[in-house]
Amino acid sequence: MICSCLWPRGISPAQCFPSPCLPFVPPAERQYICAGTRRRPEARAAQPHQEPPRGGTAKGLCSRMKLLVGILLCSLVLGVSSQRWWTFLKEAGQGTRDMLRAYSDMREANYKNSDKYFHARGNYDAARRGPGGAWAAKVISDARENSQRITDLLKFGDSGHGAEDSKADQAANEWGRSGKDPNHFRPAGLPSKY
């Protein structure tokens, strides 16, 4: 195995075991853990005292990944309640496709003031799939608005730029998820294809 990792002084790659998270770490960031408990016995006898590895370790990445997976599973459990998992996941997948279709239609239409309509339509279509679709619509909508808030903050500072637009988008998202007609936000002249 060819490795581009950082090794502690005095330890060769053959003396270390790869991290259990190695498949999830990009090749440029791969790090082998060579702390005293991970070295082979013959390496311990030859080198009784070793410095810790230089750079970050994959242990930090493992704990962050475990946290993210835990949060995802907890949200699924809270969203599923007593419903069967398979049905919920199927609805969530279909709702995600509905949201993506609304987004691609919005990009294709490129029509002035149609943003709120496509927000409402995507959420409406996804929520009609069932609780899984409504959950997916909420997660995707919230993630989109939060990421937009962060990029606006980086671009414009703390000027409040885009805050009103974000609130209006969230209102349109909620309108669609609640089952109300998304055509309420339809701009005049938008082609009937959409």
Side-chain angles (χ1 to χ4, degrees), residues 108-142:
E108 180 185 310
N110 196 20
Y111 198 81
K112 190 173 184 176
N113 298 325
S114 65
D115 183 38
K116 308 300 177 273
Y117 166 72
F118 286 108
H119 277 268
R121 194 193 87 189
N123 279 271
Y124 176 79
D125 291 344
R128 289 186 63 197
R129 301 284 185 177
W135 177 81
K138 179 158 179 50
V139 169
I140 292 169
S141 297
D142 290 347

Side-chain angles (χ1 to χ4, degrees), residues 25 35 45 68 113 115 124 148 165 175 194:
V25 179
L68 291 175
N113 298 325
D115 183 38
Y124 176 79
Q148 191 173 9
D165 187 49
W175 180 278
Y194 307 109

Side-chain angles (χ1 to χ4, degrees), residues 147-160:
S147 68
Q148 191 173 9
R149 229 178 273 148
I150 291 169
T151 56
D152 285 348
L153 183 64
L154 294 174
K155 284 182 186 175
F156 304 108
D158 197 16
S159 66

Side-chain angles (χ1 to χ4, degrees), residues 33-75:
I33 302 170
C34 300
T37 58
R38 287 293 194 125
R39 285 185 289 140
R40 293 183 179 157
E42 64 270 18
R44 277 192 213 119
Q47 310 248 339
H49 176 68
Q50 292 295 322
E51 296 176 17
R54 286 174 274 173
T57 64
K59 284 183 180 178
L61 287 173
C62 283
S63 62
R64 279 183 259 156
M65 285 176 22
K66 287 177 186 175
L67 175 67
L68 291 175
V69 168
I71 289 171
L72 178 66
L73 289 176
C74 285
S75 354

Side-chain angles (χ1 to χ4, degrees), residues 1 3 5-8 11-22 30-44 53 57-59:
M1 173 195 274
C3 183
C5 301
L6 299 174
W7 299 99
I11 296 181
S12 71
Q15 294 173 313
C16 292
F17 295 103
S19 162
C21 294
L22 198 58
R30 287 184 181 173
Q31 181 77 26
Y32 281 73
I33 302 170
C34 300
T37 58
R38 287 293 194 125
R39 285 185 289 140
R40 293 183 179 157
E42 64 270 18
R44 277 192 213 119
T57 64
K59 284 183 180 178

